[in-house]
Amino acid sequence: MSLDHIPAVLTVTLNPALDLSTETAAVVPGRKLRCGPPRLDPGGGGINVSRLVARLGGETTAFVALGGGTGMRLVAALQDEGISTRIVPIAHETRTSLSVTDASSGAQYRFMLPGPALSAGEYAAARRAVTEEGATGDFVVISGSLPTGADPDVPARLAEAFAAAGLRPVIDTSGAALDHLVRHPAADPAARPEILRFDHAEAEEVAGRELPRRADTARFAADLVARGAARRIVVGRQAEGNVLAEAAGAWFAAAAPVAVVSAIGAGDSFLAAMTYAFAIGSEPDEALRWGTAAACAAVSTPGTQICAPEDIEALRPRCTVEPIAPA
Protein backbone atom coordinates (compact mmCIF):
# COMPACT_ATOMS: atom_id res chain seq x y z
CA MET A 1 0.00 0.00 0.00
CA SER A 2 1.39 3.42 -0.91
CA LEU A 3 0.84 6.63 1.01
CA ASP A 4 1.15 10.26 -0.10
CA HIS A 5 2.59 11.07 3.31
CA ILE A 6 4.35 8.53 5.52
CA PRO A 7 3.60 9.27 9.17
CA ALA A 8 6.48 9.74 11.57
CA VAL A 9 7.05 7.43 14.53
CA LEU A 10 7.58 9.66 17.56
CA THR A 11 8.66 8.10 20.84
CA VAL A 12 8.34 9.17 24.48
CA THR A 13 10.81 7.92 27.09
CA LEU A 14 10.18 9.29 30.57
CA ASN A 15 12.66 7.04 32.41
CA PRO A 16 15.63 6.54 30.05
CA ALA A 17 18.92 4.94 31.00
CA LEU A 18 22.50 4.95 29.84
CA ASP A 19 22.97 1.21 29.23
CA LEU A 20 26.35 -0.26 30.15
CA SER A 21 27.04 -3.82 28.99
CA THR A 22 30.11 -5.99 29.50
CA GLU A 23 31.30 -9.57 29.99
CA THR A 24 33.23 -11.42 32.68
CA ALA A 25 34.61 -14.94 32.87
CA ALA A 26 32.14 -16.02 35.56
CA VAL A 27 29.71 -14.19 37.85
CA VAL A 28 30.53 -15.35 41.39
CA PRO A 29 30.08 -13.62 44.77
CA GLY A 30 32.78 -12.21 47.01
CA ARG A 31 35.59 -11.31 44.64
CA LYS A 32 36.50 -8.69 42.07
CA LEU A 33 35.22 -9.64 38.63
CA ARG A 34 37.48 -8.51 35.80
CA CYS A 35 35.32 -7.39 32.90
CA GLY A 36 35.81 -6.97 29.20
CA PRO A 37 35.59 -3.65 27.34
CA PRO A 38 32.32 -1.89 28.20
CA ARG A 39 29.75 -0.86 25.63
CA LEU A 40 27.57 2.20 26.20
CA ASP A 41 24.20 2.58 24.50
CA PRO A 42 21.27 4.95 24.94
CA GLY A 43 18.52 2.91 26.58
CA GLY A 44 14.85 3.01 27.45
CA GLY A 45 11.86 1.63 25.56
CA GLY A 46 11.05 4.64 23.40
CA ILE A 47 14.71 5.35 22.65
CA ASN A 48 15.23 1.80 21.42
CA VAL A 49 12.16 2.10 19.21
CA SER A 50 13.50 5.30 17.64
CA ARG A 51 16.92 3.72 17.10
CA LEU A 52 15.47 0.86 15.05
CA VAL A 53 12.89 2.98 13.19
CA ALA A 54 15.75 5.25 12.08
CA ARG A 55 17.75 2.25 10.86
CA LEU A 56 14.73 1.06 8.90
CA GLY A 57 14.58 4.43 7.15
CA GLY A 58 11.57 5.84 8.96
CA GLU A 59 11.15 9.38 10.23
CA THR A 60 11.42 9.47 14.01
CA THR A 61 12.04 11.85 16.90
CA ALA A 62 12.83 10.65 20.41
CA PHE A 63 11.34 12.81 23.17
CA VAL A 64 13.45 12.06 26.22
CA ALA A 65 13.31 13.29 29.83
CA LEU A 66 16.98 13.91 30.73
CA GLY A 67 18.97 15.41 33.56
CA GLY A 68 22.50 15.68 34.91
CA GLY A 69 25.78 14.49 33.48
CA THR A 70 24.43 11.03 32.65
CA GLY A 71 21.65 12.65 30.65
CA MET A 72 24.18 14.60 28.61
CA ARG A 73 26.17 11.42 27.89
CA LEU A 74 22.96 9.77 26.75
CA VAL A 75 22.22 12.67 24.39
CA ALA A 76 25.72 12.37 22.94
CA ALA A 77 25.15 8.66 22.32
CA LEU A 78 21.89 9.41 20.51
CA GLN A 79 23.55 12.09 18.40
CA ASP A 80 26.32 9.66 17.49
CA GLU A 81 23.62 7.44 15.97
CA GLY A 82 22.00 10.36 14.17
CA ILE A 83 18.72 10.09 16.11
CA SER A 84 16.60 13.24 16.09
CA THR A 85 16.16 14.04 19.78
CA ARG A 86 14.07 16.54 21.71
CA ILE A 87 15.16 16.89 25.32
CA VAL A 88 12.64 17.41 28.11
CA PRO A 89 14.88 18.83 30.86
CA ILE A 90 14.37 17.39 34.35
CA ALA A 91 15.87 18.40 37.68
CA HIS A 92 17.42 15.07 38.69
CA GLU A 93 20.08 12.72 37.32
CA THR A 94 19.25 10.22 34.56
CA ARG A 95 19.80 6.61 35.63
CA THR A 96 22.31 4.01 34.47
CA SER A 97 21.63 0.30 33.89
CA LEU A 98 24.11 -2.58 33.78
CA SER A 99 24.12 -5.84 31.82
CA VAL A 100 26.82 -8.46 32.52
CA THR A 101 27.25 -11.69 30.55
CA ASP A 102 28.80 -14.71 32.29
CA ALA A 103 31.15 -16.05 29.59
CA SER A 104 31.33 -19.52 31.18
CA SER A 105 27.58 -20.15 31.00
CA GLY A 106 26.27 -17.54 28.58
CA ALA A 107 23.84 -16.33 31.28
CA GLN A 108 23.04 -12.65 31.24
CA TYR A 109 22.55 -10.60 34.41
CA ARG A 110 20.63 -7.33 34.10
CA PHE A 111 20.71 -4.70 36.84
CA MET A 112 18.08 -1.99 36.46
CA LEU A 113 18.53 1.00 38.76
CA PRO A 114 15.56 3.21 39.68
CA GLY A 115 15.18 6.48 37.86
CA PRO A 116 14.33 9.93 39.20
CA ALA A 117 10.85 11.18 40.01
CA LEU A 118 9.36 13.78 37.65
CA SER A 119 7.40 16.84 38.71
CA ALA A 120 3.95 17.72 37.37
CA GLY A 121 5.60 20.47 35.32
CA GLU A 122 8.04 18.02 33.75
CA TYR A 123 5.22 15.66 32.74
CA ALA A 124 3.36 18.62 31.24
CA ALA A 125 6.48 19.70 29.34
CA ALA A 126 6.82 16.24 27.79
CA ARG A 127 3.17 16.20 26.75
CA ARG A 128 3.43 19.71 25.30
CA ALA A 129 6.62 18.96 23.36
CA VAL A 130 5.05 15.99 21.56
CA THR A 131 1.76 17.70 20.71
CA GLU A 132 3.61 20.76 19.41
CA GLU A 133 5.84 18.78 17.07
CA GLY A 134 3.62 15.88 16.00
CA ALA A 135 1.54 16.04 12.83
CA THR A 136 -1.91 14.56 12.37
CA GLY A 137 -1.63 10.81 11.81
CA ASP A 138 1.82 10.40 13.34
CA PHE A 139 2.34 7.46 15.66
CA VAL A 140 3.52 8.16 19.22
CA VAL A 141 5.10 5.23 21.04
CA ILE A 142 4.93 5.44 24.84
CA SER A 143 7.28 2.73 26.02
CA GLY A 144 9.56 1.80 28.89
CA SER A 145 9.36 1.92 32.66
CA LEU A 146 7.74 4.88 34.38
CA PRO A 147 9.63 7.33 36.59
CA THR A 148 9.81 6.69 40.32
CA GLY A 149 6.52 7.50 42.01
CA ALA A 150 4.58 7.94 38.77
CA ASP A 151 0.81 7.60 38.99
CA PRO A 152 -0.45 4.51 37.12
CA ASP A 153 -2.67 6.65 34.89
CA VAL A 154 0.30 8.52 33.32
CA PRO A 155 0.35 6.50 30.03
CA ALA A 156 -3.44 6.72 29.74
CA ARG A 157 -3.44 10.49 30.25
CA LEU A 158 -0.63 10.94 27.74
CA ALA A 159 -2.44 8.76 25.21
CA GLU A 160 -5.65 10.76 25.55
CA ALA A 161 -3.78 14.04 25.10
CA PHE A 162 -1.95 12.75 22.04
CA ALA A 163 -5.11 11.30 20.50
CA ALA A 164 -6.88 14.63 21.02
CA ALA A 165 -4.08 16.24 18.99
CA GLY A 166 -4.67 13.84 16.08
CA LEU A 167 -1.79 11.50 16.90
CA ARG A 168 -1.97 7.70 17.17
CA PRO A 169 -0.70 6.41 20.55
CA VAL A 170 1.08 3.06 20.80
CA ILE A 171 1.64 1.85 24.37
CA ASP A 172 3.95 -0.76 25.84
CA THR A 173 3.88 -0.58 29.63
CA SER A 174 3.47 -2.92 32.58
CA GLY A 175 2.25 -3.34 36.14
CA ALA A 176 -0.24 -0.86 37.55
CA ALA A 177 -0.10 1.35 34.45
CA LEU A 178 -1.11 -1.55 32.19
CA ASP A 179 -3.82 -2.61 34.62
CA HIS A 180 -5.22 0.95 34.59
CA LEU A 181 -5.41 0.99 30.79
CA VAL A 182 -7.31 -2.30 30.78
CA ARG A 183 -9.70 -1.45 33.62
CA HIS A 184 -10.38 2.16 32.62
CA PRO A 185 -10.70 2.35 28.81
CA ALA A 186 -11.36 5.79 27.38
CA ALA A 187 -15.08 6.42 26.96
CA ASP A 188 -14.47 8.20 23.64
CA PRO A 189 -13.30 5.69 20.99
CA ALA A 190 -11.23 8.44 19.38
CA ALA A 191 -9.15 8.72 22.57
CA ARG A 192 -8.19 5.03 22.72
CA PRO A 193 -4.65 3.82 21.96
CA GLU A 194 -3.98 2.63 18.43
CA ILE A 195 -1.99 -0.33 19.80
CA LEU A 196 -1.54 -1.81 23.28
CA ARG A 197 1.12 -4.50 23.69
CA PHE A 198 1.40 -7.29 26.30
CA ASP A 199 3.96 -10.01 26.82
CA HIS A 200 2.70 -13.50 27.67
CA ALA A 201 3.09 -13.17 31.45
CA GLU A 202 1.36 -9.77 31.48
CA ALA A 203 -1.55 -11.15 29.46
CA GLU A 204 -2.04 -14.08 31.83
CA GLU A 205 -1.86 -11.77 34.85
CA VAL A 206 -4.49 -9.42 33.41
CA ALA A 207 -6.65 -12.32 32.25
CA GLY A 208 -6.44 -13.98 35.67
CA ARG A 209 -5.91 -17.36 34.03
CA GLU A 210 -3.41 -19.31 31.96
CA LEU A 211 -3.44 -18.84 28.18
CA PRO A 212 -1.91 -22.12 27.00
CA ARG A 213 -3.07 -22.03 23.39
CA ARG A 214 -2.76 -19.43 20.66
CA ALA A 215 -6.54 -19.34 20.41
CA ASP A 216 -6.75 -18.52 24.12
CA THR A 217 -4.44 -15.55 23.59
CA ALA A 218 -6.48 -14.48 20.57
CA ARG A 219 -9.67 -14.58 22.67
CA PHE A 220 -8.04 -12.50 25.39
CA ALA A 221 -6.88 -9.92 22.84
CA ALA A 222 -10.19 -9.83 20.96
CA ASP A 223 -12.12 -9.32 24.21
CA LEU A 224 -9.93 -6.33 25.12
CA VAL A 225 -10.53 -4.80 21.68
CA ALA A 226 -14.28 -5.27 22.18
CA ARG A 227 -14.05 -3.62 25.62
CA GLY A 228 -12.31 -0.58 24.14
CA ALA A 229 -8.85 -0.99 25.72
CA ALA A 230 -7.27 -0.22 22.32
CA ARG A 231 -8.00 -0.48 18.61
CA ARG A 232 -5.41 -3.23 18.31
CA ILE A 233 -4.09 -5.58 20.99
CA VAL A 234 -0.78 -7.39 20.51
CA VAL A 235 0.34 -10.24 22.77
CA GLY A 236 3.70 -11.98 22.66
CA ARG A 237 3.79 -15.73 23.20
CA GLN A 238 7.48 -15.88 24.11
CA ALA A 239 9.57 -17.90 21.62
CA GLU A 240 6.43 -19.16 19.87
CA GLY A 241 5.46 -15.88 18.20
CA ASN A 242 2.90 -13.09 18.49
CA VAL A 243 -0.85 -12.54 18.25
CA LEU A 244 -2.55 -9.38 16.98
CA ALA A 245 -6.28 -8.73 17.28
CA GLU A 246 -8.46 -5.91 15.96
CA ALA A 247 -12.15 -5.54 15.21
CA ALA A 248 -11.68 -7.09 11.75
CA GLY A 249 -9.98 -10.27 12.98
CA ALA A 250 -6.91 -11.83 14.60
CA TRP A 251 -3.61 -13.21 13.34
CA PHE A 252 -0.71 -15.26 14.67
CA ALA A 253 2.88 -14.81 13.46
CA ALA A 254 5.25 -17.69 14.19
CA ALA A 255 8.76 -16.78 15.29
CA ALA A 256 11.59 -17.91 13.04
CA PRO A 257 14.00 -20.32 14.78
CA VAL A 258 17.16 -18.43 15.77
CA ALA A 259 19.99 -18.87 18.25
CA VAL A 260 19.25 -16.70 21.28
CA VAL A 261 22.23 -14.52 22.25
CA SER A 262 20.54 -11.77 24.31
CA ALA A 263 16.96 -11.11 25.40
CA ILE A 264 17.57 -7.36 25.66
CA GLY A 265 15.45 -5.22 23.35
CA ALA A 266 13.27 -7.90 21.75
CA GLY A 267 10.01 -6.21 22.78
CA ASP A 268 11.24 -2.76 21.74
CA SER A 269 12.42 -4.11 18.39
CA PHE A 270 9.06 -5.79 17.82
CA LEU A 271 7.20 -2.56 18.57
CA ALA A 272 9.53 -0.46 16.40
CA ALA A 273 9.27 -2.65 13.31
CA MET A 274 5.52 -3.22 13.64
CA THR A 275 4.79 0.50 14.09
CA TYR A 276 7.09 1.37 11.20
CA ALA A 277 5.24 -1.17 9.04
CA PHE A 278 1.88 0.41 9.91
CA ALA A 279 3.35 3.84 9.15
CA ILE A 280 4.36 2.78 5.62
CA GLY A 281 0.87 1.38 5.02
CA SER A 282 1.24 -2.34 5.74
CA GLU A 283 -1.84 -4.42 6.51
CA PRO A 284 -2.11 -5.82 10.06
CA ASP A 285 -0.88 -9.32 9.19
CA GLU A 286 2.21 -7.94 7.42
CA ALA A 287 2.91 -5.46 10.23
CA LEU A 288 2.77 -8.38 12.67
CA ARG A 289 5.28 -10.24 10.48
CA TRP A 290 7.61 -7.21 10.53
CA GLY A 291 7.48 -7.03 14.31
CA THR A 292 8.02 -10.74 14.82
CA ALA A 293 11.02 -10.78 12.46
CA ALA A 294 12.55 -7.84 14.33
CA ALA A 295 12.11 -9.58 17.69
CA CYS A 296 13.83 -12.67 16.27
CA ALA A 297 16.67 -10.53 14.94
CA ALA A 298 16.98 -8.79 18.31
CA VAL A 299 17.43 -11.95 20.37
CA SER A 300 20.23 -13.06 18.05
CA THR A 301 22.06 -9.71 18.48
CA PRO A 302 24.54 -9.31 21.37
CA GLY A 303 23.98 -7.10 24.41
CA THR A 304 22.32 -3.73 23.98
CA GLN A 305 23.09 -3.47 20.26
CA ILE A 306 20.20 -2.73 17.91
CA CYS A 307 19.52 -5.43 15.32
CA ALA A 308 20.35 -4.82 11.67
CA PRO A 309 17.63 -4.11 9.06
CA GLU A 310 19.12 -6.74 6.74
CA ASP A 311 18.64 -9.37 9.46
CA ILE A 312 14.98 -8.39 9.77
CA GLU A 313 14.55 -8.64 6.00
CA ALA A 314 16.15 -12.08 5.97
CA LEU A 315 13.87 -13.33 8.76
CA ARG A 316 10.57 -11.88 7.51
CA PRO A 317 9.81 -14.71 5.04
CA ARG A 318 10.50 -17.25 7.80
CA CYS A 319 7.89 -15.71 10.14
CA THR A 320 4.71 -17.29 8.81
CA VAL A 321 1.40 -15.50 9.52
CA GLU A 322 -2.06 -17.04 9.60
CA PRO A 323 -5.53 -15.94 10.70
CA ILE A 324 -6.52 -17.32 14.07
CA ALA A 325 -10.00 -17.79 15.52
CA PRO A 326 -10.37 -16.88 19.20
CA ALA A 327 -11.24 -19.88 21.38
Side-chain angles (χ1 to χ4, degrees), residues 83-152:
I83 306 300
S84 172
T85 307
R86 183 158 173 182
I87 299 171
V88 179
I90 61 173
H92 300 292
E93 187 82 16
T94 295
R95 67 191 174 113
T96 301
S97 65
L98 173 64
S99 170
V100 180
T101 299
D102 182 321
S104 65
S105 66
Q108 190 176 66
Y109 298 84
R110 301 171 66 184
F111 303 90
M112 315 304 291
L113 301 180
L118 269 60
S119 69
E122 289 165 347
Y123 282 115
R127 183 173 61 249
R128 188 165 55 249
V130 176
T131 54
E132 286 175 354
E133 186 160 323
T136 299
D138 285 350
F139 291 86
V140 185
V141 178
I142 306 165
S143 180
S145 61
L146 294 179
T148 298
D151 291 333

Side-chain angles (χ1 to χ4, degrees), residues 40 73 161 307:
L40 287 173
R73 293 175 71 192
C307 59

Side-chain angles (χ1 to χ4, degrees), residues 52 265-266 269-270 273-274 289-299 307 312 315:
L52 183 52
S269 297
F270 174 93
M274 183 183 67
R289 189 197 310 272
W290 268 91
T292 302
C296 293
V299 300
C307 59
I312 299 173
L315 289 166

